[in-house]
Amino acid sequence: MADAAKTPIDATSTAAWKQLSSLAETFQPDLRGWFAADSTRTERLTFDAADLHVDLSKGLVTDEVLNALLDLADETGVAARRDAMFAGEHINVTEDRAVLHTALRQPKGASVSVDGKDVVPDVHEVLDRVYAFADKVRSGEWTGVTGKRIHTVVNIGIGGSDLGPVMAYEALAPYRALPDGSGELECRFISNIDPTDAALKLQGLDPETTLFIVSSKTFGTLETLTNARLCKAWLLDQLGEGVDEKAAIEKHFVAVSTALDKVAAFGIDPANAFGFWDWVGGRYSVDSAIGTSLAVAIGPEAFADFLAGFHALDEHFRTADLADNVPVLMGLLNVWYSNFLGSETHAVLPYAQLLHRFPAYLQQLTMESNGKGVRWDGSPVTTSTGEVFWGEPGTNGQHAFYQLIHQGTRLIPADFIAFANPPYALKDGDVDVHELFLANFFAQTRALAFGKTADEVRVEGTAEAIVPARVFTGNRPTTSIMAPALTPSVLGQLIALYEHLTFVQGVIWGIDSFDQWGVELGKQLALQVAPAVGGDEEAAATQDSSTQALIRYYREKRA
Ligand code: G6Q
């Protein structure tokens, strides 16, 4: 086999790919038949990874397909590349960087080298500083410039410096209580450069009790720096004349970045900055200091559990046989669905209201990672990559888009996620509402798998003319992911699960899942157009005619 760290293998040229193509040609999904013929199917296709209990049996997969997929993993060097990632090799080829988010959740005392340097002590040095800071804010020891304790933390960041913290803050709402029983700290998140975002998020805030965390890996992102300046101006203005500006910034602004020189240039005291490293990708950074707002909200102990959850899943991914390795199996199934059965999108449907931002978070993780058209050596891919991920919590989605999943003409594999214990146990009379909620989860996955035949519809007394409209073909693949409860650890496990299955798909496609040149392009383009929008005729003249006309329309209509 070629060196997996250097040369991508063209998956489509492997024997396993040919075998999968030929299986796909005659593939007749038959979940009813498969379950009837094999009483061990559920047991054989259900796996435990740390606290996650993952049932793949309602997937469109036979033993033959699964074996061929595992051969594909072998032939494309999934295990070797995984090991190269964990070992700190520069597998982010186009940026010539190591990919070591897994080092961020290593316990103290472990050792991981990047370019000959053990990074775990550095990781824990920063974590300890983040924890000490979080404790100070939570206890009230950290005060604003007028001596009042902090009640609101505003994270200013975008993309990877926003989506993880806001998703996890929402998901872990029950873990936010302050140690002295005085309620909880509120976090708000400003990301968009649409000034409406900052305007709305600042509404009602007391400047004396508000702390801003400017989160930016590069500290060069237009949106974040603009919003940080807006917030700085708002703070100084609201605190009023006579306030010592330097002291106010010191007490109300901290930063998280890899570019500590730029943090200082912005006016934030480097003593109030938390660093991380270029081997942490933005969309993999919620477990770095980028999670500082989360650490302040839930406290160091819960944040440490969150990291321990990631690590537990990392260990599973690193050590389990590929045939029992949940991220490997889920990644392989996604390749089967998208490359061989023609699915283009993938739904993620948490039966947990607290995970309402999880699909949005996964959109960045999966689509920014695997939305690539060339392999890591620059050669074009020869198959489709990167499915469109989307979703909403159940049961809301059931009353909206599930129709298309049940009876539409497209194949939409769906991951259902649920927890045995609810964060808030409520009863409707004698009825445990969480049980009613989970009944929906179980019923939906059953209906998607097994459908409803014309005869079953007729038995219900349906008029013949509308029988076809009420038939469900079934054979719509789902993966059920359950865990005892949505704890910080389980959330970490879930995120790591998707990180690793995204990685597996990227390896099979031979792409660099860790660069994002499309994002970089966006960062440059807006800066080029900005002068034209502001009225610079010369700059406008360099734009195409459609853009010129749109800018003209804007300038005419802007009051
Ligand atoms: C993530 C992407 C991107 C990035 C943002 C913010 O992997 O690179 O979403 O996180 O563009 O970048 P900064 O943290 O550098 O401001």
Side-chain angles (χ1 to χ4, degrees), residues 46-80:
T46 297
F47 302 86
D48 289 295
D51 295 318
L52 305 182
H53 182 71
V54 181
D55 179 357
L56 304 176
S57 68
K58 295 195 186 84
L60 297 186
V61 66
T62 60
D63 288 347
E64 252 185 324
V65 169
L66 198 55
N67 289 335
L69 287 168
L70 287 165
D71 288 345
L72 181 65
D74 268 349
E75 286 190 78
T76 51
V78 167

Side-chain angles (χ1 to χ4, degrees), residues 158-161 215-219 221 224 281-283 364 368 516 519 523:
I158 195 165
S161 300
S215 299
S216 175
K217 180 175 167 180
T218 55
F219 227 76
T221 304
T224 300
R283 55 196 173 278
Q364 179 185 33
E368 198 167 286
Q516 56 282 312
V519 178
K523 291 187 179 187

Side-chain angles (χ1 to χ4, degrees), residues 95 156-163 215-225 256-258 276 280-285 290 364 368-369 514-516 519-520 523:
E95 296 182 315
I156 307 170
I158 195 165
S161 300
D162 166 71
L163 286 159
S215 299
S216 175
K217 180 175 167 180
T218 55
F219 227 76
T221 304
L222 178 71
E223 289 89 336
T224 300
L225 292 190
V256 180
S257 185
T258 57
F276 61 115
V280 182
R283 55 196 173 278
Y284 298 86
S285 67
I290 288 291
Q364 179 185 33
E368 198 167 286
S369 295
F514 303 101
D515 63 11
Q516 56 282 312
V519 178
E520 311 302 333
K523 291 187 179 187

